[in-house]
Amino acid sequence: MFCFQCEQTAKGEGCTKIGVCGKQPDVAELQDVLIYAVKGLAQVANEGRKVGVKDGKIDHFACEAMFSTLTNVDFDPDRFVELIHKCVDHREELKKKVEAAGGWPDYTSGPATFTPADTKEQLVAQGEQFGPEAHKTREEQDIFSLKETLTYGIKGIAAYADHAAILGKTDEKIFDFIYEGLAGTLDDTLSGDDLTNLVLKCGEVNLWTMELLDEANTGTYGNPEPTEVPLGAKQGKALLVSGHDLKDLEQILKQTEGKGVNVYTHGEMLPCHGYPELKKYPHFYGHYGTAWQNQKKEFAEFPGSIVMTTNCIQKPQEVYQDNIFTTGLVGWPGVTHIADKDFTPAIEKALELPGYESDIDRGSVMVGFGHNAVLGVADKVIEGVKNKDIRHFFLVAGCDGAKPGRNYYTEFVEKVPEDCIVMTLACGKFRFFDKKLGDIGGIPRLLDIGQCNDAYSAIKIASALADAFDCGVNDLPLSMVLSWYEQKAVAILLTLLHLGIRDMRLGPSLPAFISPNVLNVLVDKFGIKPIGTPDEDLKAILG
């Protein structure tokens, strides 16, 4: 195996024996086969679009397949075998439609003609031909780097598009680009400039996708409202929901009504407490735990059942293996998977387990500062800046992880001066989400904008402030200090580059798949820089 798609990859170079995430070599090879197969599907879909042949079912499948290969999503090799064969079946189905419509059908080599092996073991062997390491030896370094960056950005788009599609929102322009981009990684005639343009277009399309997801979330569940969320517990049976998927949470809330089970969020589900159509359930109580990488300890101590939606699962420990369930695209071998969204097994397990014997008070945090809430007090924000009560805004956001160096973000926020506001989103906030930073003129100094899926909110807030001050975003008293871990973060970074955002600080380490020359371009054109120390960076930003 060879995998270097996440920030924690071994030695900052690549995982070659087992993934730092827990991914076994067979799963890594099967994921490489699946990506290769989806690229073949993309080639055929591109030809189909030239003759008006489209299939929404196949488009959504392509997103699900790419999403399945993100870090910490699916670790079950058997499910990848099924996805690979399903992908090739879809490709062949589409080929027939394209040919019937007069499209070009004559593929002679490459992924559009790929025939998957019958057995899992044989598919794993095939994977050795298609992974990044194989391409790395055949392609010029910068071309290889740009193609990998594009692939990982498309994985992020696919994840956001899948979330939106689950709530009934799709956009053919997004699928068009996913196919264009994936096919582009196979095109040896593309120059470095061509690929750079595709990478930046990936950022543009991700912006559309995040906007679509924002419409899906707020259109279904209302605009998030500032909401106080307990960090303690309520006496009674308990069910914990982790991951990112709002609809899964809604279904669990509906199915637990009147059953004496209190529902808690974990990780990136924390912001769900701000949505009116979710927080209306009286048994939707509070938040438990912190970021995904701490789940082994935290899940072992949780006295109820656990449901994992989308990504962020780690290898379950024996002490809670029977109490944890997966749904959607997430999976782990030996863990009960709920494919039909009937969460009865998880609810029954919650009723079996002891739950909380008494109420526990661990304080609370505030959530719900999405773009609608923040822009609703924009006049106060603008007045605060003009009066010099607010000196600077910091967006300290991104993914959390276990790799050393992430305490930087805690220390940074603690040292931000009292006349500055910190906006945050994604699980990186768990380094400091419970800090009591006070307020400036009634505006909290720590504003939780939401999940990584809500990055569009931060962009909308920044754009609105720039309009209000009649300047560009780069001219605002705003600095972005970002942490990254997986491929949705890559897609968001590409969006910020597409928007021309400069002088971002990125950490804890820079991506291993970015070649030195490509990195130099990012530094020269966009001023991207690695994080230093909190004191150094604050001095450089604020003077």
Side-chain angles (χ1 to χ4, degrees):
M1 69 173 285
F2 181 83
C3 182
F4 62 172
Q5 69 175 358
C6 86
E7 191 273 333
Q8 291 187 182
T9 195
K11 299 179 181 178
E13 298 173 356
C15 295
T16 57
K17 295 181 179 178
I18 185 173
V20 172
C21 63
K23 181 165 60 178
Q24 296 297 316
D26 59 344
V27 172
E29 302 291 6
L30 291 168
Q31 288 183 352
D32 290 339
V33 175
L34 179 58
I35 292 167
Y36 186 72
V38 176
K39 288 181 177 182
L41 175 62
Q43 288 180 311
V44 178
N46 268 339
E47 292 300 320
R49 275 157 159 71
K50 293 177 184 177
V51 291
V53 173
K54 299 183 180 182
D55 188 317
K57 173 188 66 177
I58 292 177
D59 294 342
H60 191 193
F61 169 83
C63 289
E64 289 182 322
M66 292 300 289
F67 192 177
S68 295
T69 68
L70 260 74
T71 305
N72 289 11
V73 176
D74 193 352
F75 294 81
D76 188 339
D78 292 334
R79 287 174 64 184
F80 281 106
V81 172
E82 180 182 344
L83 283 168
I84 291 164
H85 285 282
K86 191 173 182 180
C87 183
V88 173
D89 288 344
H90 281 321
R91 185 196 72 200
E92 293 305 300
E93 174 189 347
L94 202 57
K95 269 186 188 177
K96 292 176 183 177
K97 292 180 180 178
V98 173
E99 186 172 8
W104 186 70
D106 298 325
Y107 301 93
T108 57
S109 62
T113 65
F114 166 65
T115 301
D118 293 327
T119 69
K120 179 168 63 180
E121 293 72 22
Q122 291 169 331
L123 281 169
V124 169
Q126 283 183 317
E128 297 174 5
Q129 308 169 46
F130 306 132
E133 195 171 31
H135 293 293
K136 191 175 184 179
T137 60
R138 294 195 295 262
E139 295 177 331
E140 190 269 325
Q141 185 182 36
D142 297 334
I143 296 294
F144 170 73
S145 175
L146 289 165
K147 287 181 177 180
E148 290 300 298
T149 303
L150 179 57
T151 299
Y152 302 144
I154 290 172
K155 286 189 181 190
I157 290 175
Y160 293 134
D162 179 64
H163 281 297
I166 287 170
L167 294 175
K169 289 283 188 178
T170 59
D171 185 338
E172 288 188 357
K173 292 188 303 182
I174 295 167
F175 300 130
D176 290 346
F177 174 76
I178 288 174
Y179 294 136
E180 177 192 1
L182 290 175
T185 65
L186 303 166
D187 189 345
D188 293 333
T189 69
L190 295 182
S191 66
D193 287 342
D194 294 331
L195 288 167
T196 299
N197 290 335
L198 268 179
V199 166
L200 291 176
K201 185 175 179 181
C202 183
E204 179 182 22
V205 175
N206 186 58
L207 179 61
W208 305 341
T209 313
M210 291 192 298
E211 182 178 14
L212 185 73
L213 178 56
D214 180 76
E215 292 173 4
N217 286 341
T218 58
T220 306
Y221 301 110
N223 281 296
E225 303 165 344
T227 303
E228 187 174 5
V229 184
L231 298 177
K234 190 175 183 180
Q235 180 182 15
K237 304 296 184 178
L239 190 155
L240 188 65
V241 185
S242 190
H244 299 77
D245 198 277
L246 275 60
K247 188 170 184 179
D248 285 338
L249 174 60
E250 179 191 30
Q251 290 174 304
I252 288 169
L253 288 169
K254 286 180 176 179
Q255 292 175 35
T256 49
E257 278 189 293
K259 295 187 176 176
V261 175
N262 294 315
V263 175
Y264 298 79
T265 54
H266 173 267
E268 287 263 51
M269 299 301 284
L270 168 61
C272 295
H273 289 275
Y275 286 96
E277 290 301 309
L278 295 176
K279 70 177 187 176
K280 69 182 183 181
Y281 292 90
H283 62 298
F284 186 28
Y285 179 67
H287 184 79
Y288 172 86
T290 53
W292 64 271
Q293 76 275 3
N294 301 320
Q295 67 188 249
K296 291 182 180 180
K297 179 179 185 296
E298 292 173 351
F299 287 2
E301 297 171 355
F302 187 73
S305 61
I306 303 154
V307 177
M308 298 297 301
T309 73
T310 66
N311 48 326
C312 292
I313 193 170
Q314 287 191 301
K315 181 180 180 179
Q317 301 298 288
E318 186 176 351
V319 67
Y320 64 83
Q321 171 117 13
D322 292 339
N323 304 340
I324 189 169
F325 302 81
T326 59
T327 191
L329 299 179
V330 69
W332 195 283
V335 170
T336 300
H337 185 72
I338 299 173
D340 60 2
K341 305 301 181 180
D342 178 354
F343 292 99
T344 300
I347 296 167
E348 289 178 345
K349 178 60 69 171
L351 292 169
E352 286 176 23
L353 292 166
Y356 286 101
E357 295 180 357
S358 60
D359 294 351
I360 300 172
D361 183 1
R362 293 195 180 103
S364 63
V365 295
M366 291 293 294
V367 302
F369 296 99
H371 58 81
N372 189 68
V374 174
L375 296 180
V377 294
D379 55 339
K380 291 184 180 179
V381 174
I382 293 165
E383 183 182 359
V385 173
K386 288 181 176 178
N387 294 342
K388 298 187 178 178
D389 294 326
I390 300 173
R391 180 172 28 154
H392 206 84
F393 297 90
F394 291 92
L395 178 64
V396 185
C399 316
D400 203 1
K403 193 173 178 180
R406 291 182 179 268
N407 285 338
Y408 164 94
Y409 298 95
T410 310
E411 188 180 344
F412 186 95
V413 169
E414 289 175 339
K415 291 184 174 181
V416 166
E418 291 184 0
D419 57 356
C420 300
I421 286 177
V422 176
M423 299 184 292
T424 190
L425 56 84
C427 64
K429 65 172 162 271
F430 288 110
R431 293 280 167 173
F432 50 81
F433 80 125
D434 55 354
K435 302 291 180 185
K436 304 303 180 185
L437 301 186
D439 66 88
I440 300 176
I443 300 168
R445 288 190 56 234
L446 181 60
L447 299 174
D448 184 349
I449 295 172
Q451 298 181 336
C452 65
N453 292 10
D454 299 314
Y456 175 74
S457 260
I459 292 169
K460 191 161 184 177
I461 291 167
S463 298
L465 289 175
D467 289 342
F469 288 107
D470 193 23
C471 66
V473 171
N474 289 318
D475 300 315
L476 287 171
L478 167 67
S479 299
M480 299 190 184
V481 183
L482 309 177
S483 55
W484 78 283
Y485 174 66
E486 43 91 297
Q487 297 74 60
K488 285 184 285 183
V490 174
I492 293 170
L493 179 62
L494 297 183
T495 294
L496 295 173
L497 297 180
H498 156 71
L499 292 169
I501 306 299
R502 290 188 51 83
D503 300 323
M504 293 178 282
R505 283 168 167 79
L506 184 65
S509 61
L510 298 177
F513 51 83
I514 297 287
S515 68
N517 287 338
V518 173
L519 179 60
N520 287 338
V521 170
L522 295 178
V523 171
D524 292 343
K525 187 171 182 179
F526 298 102
I528 283 185
K529 46 185 71 70
I531 58 172
T533 68
D535 289 324
E536 291 169 347
D537 290 346
L538 282 167
K539 184 177 180 181
I541 293 167
L542 297 175

